[in-house]
Structure formats: structure tokens, C-alpha cells
Amino acid sequence: GKSGYEHYMLKEIHEQPRALRQCLRGRVNEMEGRVSLDVDFDPERVQFVACGTSYHAALCGAHLLQRSGIPAQAFLASEYATSPPPIGEDLVVGVTQSGETADTLSALREARRRGARTLAVTNVVGSTVSRECDQTLYVRAGPEIGVAATKTFAAQVVALTMLALTTDGEQRDAIAALRDLPGNVQAVLDSSTAREVAEEYVDSEAFFFIGRGLCYPVALEGALKFKEITYEHAEGFAAGELKHGPLALVTEDTPVFAVVTGDGELARKTIGNVKEVEARDAPVIAVTDGQSDVERYADHVLRIPTSEPRTAAVLANVQLQLVAYHTAAMLGRSIDKPRNLAKSVTVE
Ligand code: M6R
């Protein structure tokens, strides 16, 4: 059942600390500063294929592998299957919560026809994807009932973070950040003011989400979750792309959620974009770990604990899940079963 929560989605959002502990269990060795997964992973190059939320996790995965020095690229499964790029010796990784998504299965079949080795990253033991791929990495988030993917996204990103770490040497900082992540997610759940933000902006005309680097897939995911369950117009943009078009949509009636972590170059540049939207009188909601001064330019701040950039993305996403949830609840939407959508999409 829903254990007292009004919706499965809210229950599953709150299950994220536990889902992440299960995902991490037995896989990170703090003493040795190493990650060990029961898959062989030593590829020349990696291609990810996935759909929807899992595609956003795949974008994070590609970014994390690149950071570890492995060329990697994420493809929408539906585009990969119709015009597959050259693969050579690549490993093709299918990221799919259900393990049954037709577009993803067909992209992986195409990859195998072309001689690639395949790895499934999935939540469901015995799913079609796990039977068809050479190897499987389970994300162990536990069953997810809500159509909107929440805890499985967090677990996918953590599983892909671990996968990237297996290729690096000693990774004590990243491992410590992973160890602290479930507790930090709990801290976000306990302190979030997302409901107030939802209340203030529920009647807006449209909702925009911006970020750079790993915060870009978080912006895309924030917008997808938002449109899926609120039925309102929401879009995620790479922060740097705003001025190349989307800025024309920005008004005082379009709140902009800016995902800004750390205090480096990316944060500085996103803050520049925040100033651009502010100059158009758009309300700005900063989702931030407080390391930069983005808060000075924001109407609201959704704080996340300070952590490593690799884990900050998961924390920021939790805030955006809560904003989407509370907005949809205020609008009286069918949150666990949004109109026109199915939990697993078994047609191409
Ligand atoms: O089961 P999968 O991860 O392959 O599903 C892919 C998408 O259909 C799925 O993530 C969809 O976008 C979600 N409903 C988003 O919340």
C-alpha cells in the first residue's frame, strides 16, 4: 500500500534514502577507496540508449564516464534504432527501469546485430532487457508503482556513478560522497520548502528549468517530471542555450528554476544566465548547495547539502521532484497515473 502517503509517487520520493542504500550496499569499499560491481567493465568507448527519465540518467552516465576518461555518448533509444551510429568496439549500455521499454530493447537488438557487447542497467530482475543483454547491473531501487520515475532515477544515477568509478583508481572523495548521499537525501526531504514554492507559482503560464554540466540533465528531468504530472507547460534548457531562443518565452509569468551546484566556472556562467532571466522579470528559484552566490539573484532558494558535484545532481533532483509533486497535488491531477501515459511503454 501507500503507507499513509497520499500517492505512490510521494511514498517513492521518500523511499529514496533506502533505495540508495540498497543500491550501494556491498558495492563500495570505503577502506580500500574502491567500487566493485559484479560486471566486467573496461570499455574503449560507451554508447548509452534509453528513453524519458532513463535517458536523463544516461546523460548523467555519459558525463560521468567522460570525467573518468572514457569517451561516452547518450542516445535516445527511439532515434538510435532508426539510424544507428557506428559502433566498432563500443559497449552499448541500455538504461531502463522496467527492462521492458520497446524502444530501448530494439536499440539494444540493433547494437547486437552490429556486433556490440551490451550491458543492461535496470531495476527489474528477470526483465526482458536482463535476459537479452550480455551483462546486467541492477539498480535495486525496489518496486516503483507511480508512473513518474523518481527513486529509480536516483538509483540509476548512483549505479552509473559507481560504474564510472570502477574505471578510476582511488576515489575516496567520491566514495565518501556516495556514502553520505542517502543521509543527505533524507535531509532534503526533511527540510524542503518545495511546497511553498509550488503554492506561490502554481498559476504561472509556464515553468522553465536550466542547468549546465551534470545540472543540465537535472533540468531536463525536472521539466519532464513537471509536465508529466502537472500537465502544465514545462521545458528544460541548457542554461547557455537560453539566449539562443528560449529567452523569448521568458516573462514575469514564467518561473525559472536554476540548478546551480559548486562554485566553479559552470556555476558562474549559470548565474550569468540567471541575471538574464531576472532582467525579464521572471521569478528565479535557485536549487543550490549554497557554494556560489546565486542566492543573491533568486526569489526563492531550495537548498541542498554541500556535497561532491557527482552526488549534488541527485540531491537537486529531489527538490524538483517535490516541486512537481506539490504543484500537481494542488492542481488535483491524477499523480500516480497521469493521463495518456503508461508505466512501461512496450510499443515503439
Ligand atoms: O522503464 P524505462 O526506464 O525504460 O522507461 C522509460 C520511460 O518511459 C520513463 O522513464 C518515462 O519517461 C517516465 N514515466 C518518466 O517519469
Side-chain angles (χ1 to χ4, degrees):
K2 288 182 271 192
S3 331
Y5 289 100
E6 204 168 332
H7 298 94
Y8 279 107
M9 182 186 180
L10 190 60
K11 172 174 181 260
E12 288 158 1
I13 288 172
H14 282 267
E15 281 172 351
Q16 287 177 112
R18 179 146 62 103
L20 297 183
R21 278 189 200 102
Q22 282 167 195
C23 179
L24 291 163
R25 183 164 304 144
R27 290 168 162 177
V28 288
N29 185 331
E30 266 199 74
M31 300 288 284
E32 293 172 20
R34 313 202 144 271
V35 171
S36 48
L37 301 172
D38 48 10
V39 295
D40 297 323
F41 185 73
D42 187 20
E44 297 264 297
R45 286 190 316 182
V46 171
Q47 294 184 342
F48 288 96
V49 292
C51 305
T53 289
S54 293
Y55 172 68
H56 301 148
L59 286 171
C60 293
H63 181 104
L64 293 162
L65 284 179
Q66 300 270 18
R67 259 186 84 128
S68 298
I70 299 172
Q73 219 183 333
F75 297 89
L76 287 167
S78 54
E79 291 299 312
Y80 185 92
T82 52
S83 126
I87 48 182
E89 292 299 289
D90 294 3
L91 174 73
V92 179
V93 180
V95 184
T96 165
Q97 182 282 130
S98 62
E100 305 297 343
T101 300
D103 288 317
T104 307
L105 292 172
S106 115
L108 288 163
R109 286 173 194 145
E110 181 59 35
R112 263 190 309 279
R113 264 194 294 279
R114 296 159 56 81
R117 295 190 46 80
T118 53
L119 169 67
V121 177
T122 186
N123 193 37
V124 179
V125 176
S127 54
T128 305
V129 82
S130 69
R131 283 183 274 116
E132 293 191 1
C133 286
D134 298 312
Q135 301 189 84
T136 301
L137 174 61
Y138 288 107
V139 304
R140 302 184 189 156
E144 189 176 69
I145 311 284
V147 165
T150 53
K151 63 177 180 172
T152 56
F153 173 79
Q156 284 168 339
V157 174
V158 166
L160 295 174
T161 306
M162 289 191 288
L163 195 63
L165 289 174
T166 59
T167 65
D168 283 351
E170 230 184 65
Q171 286 293 333
R172 289 185 192 275
D173 288 356
I175 284 173
L178 285 174
R179 176 204 59 206
D180 294 342
L181 185 58
N184 281 336
V185 170
Q186 189 63 53
V188 171
L189 294 171
D190 292 342
S191 67
S192 178
T193 56
R195 192 199 195 109
E196 291 156 35
V197 170
E199 226 157 65
E200 174 138 10
Y201 298 111
V202 61
D203 293 323
S204 303
E205 193 177 287
F207 302 80
F208 301 131
F209 299 77
I210 61 171
R212 284 171 188 260
L214 261 188
C215 297
Y216 169 47
V218 173
L220 293 179
E221 174 58 10
L224 177 62
K225 210 93 310 171
F226 202 95
K227 68 184 85 168
E228 190 175 20
I229 61 168
T230 69
Y231 314 158
E232 295 297 313
H233 179 206
E235 296 293 337
F237 304 114
E241 279 295 295
L242 267 185
K243 57 187 172 302
H244 299 292
L247 198 52
L249 297 170
V250 171
T251 69
E252 61 188 6
D253 211 17
T254 62
V256 176
F257 292 81
V259 186
V260 182
T261 64
D263 62 351
E265 182 74 358
L266 296 187
R268 196 177 57 69
K269 287 187 171 167
T270 305
I271 291 169
N273 306 121
V274 164
K275 291 179 189 162
E276 289 163 10
V277 306
E278 219 194 9
R280 274 82 190 171
D281 296 323
V284 173
I285 302 94
V287 183
T288 182
D289 55 11
Q291 294 194 71
S292 69
D293 67 349
V294 65
E295 303 189 7
R296 282 179 34 199
Y297 309 97
D299 298 278
H300 285 269
V301 177
L302 293 170
R303 268 305 269 278
I304 59 171
T306 305
S307 70
E308 249 242 324
R310 283 173 273 199
T311 47
V314 170
L315 295 168
N317 188 59
V318 174
Q319 290 284 20
L320 297 183
Q321 291 170 344
L322 290 168
V323 176
Y325 174 81
H326 288 299
T327 307
M330 275 165 216
L331 292 170
R333 304 301 191 219
S334 164
I335 293 181
D336 286 332
K337 274 188 153 301
R339 67 185 181 198
N340 310 338
L341 301 176
K343 181 65 179 164
S344 100
V345 184
T346 53
V347 292
E348 281 183 58

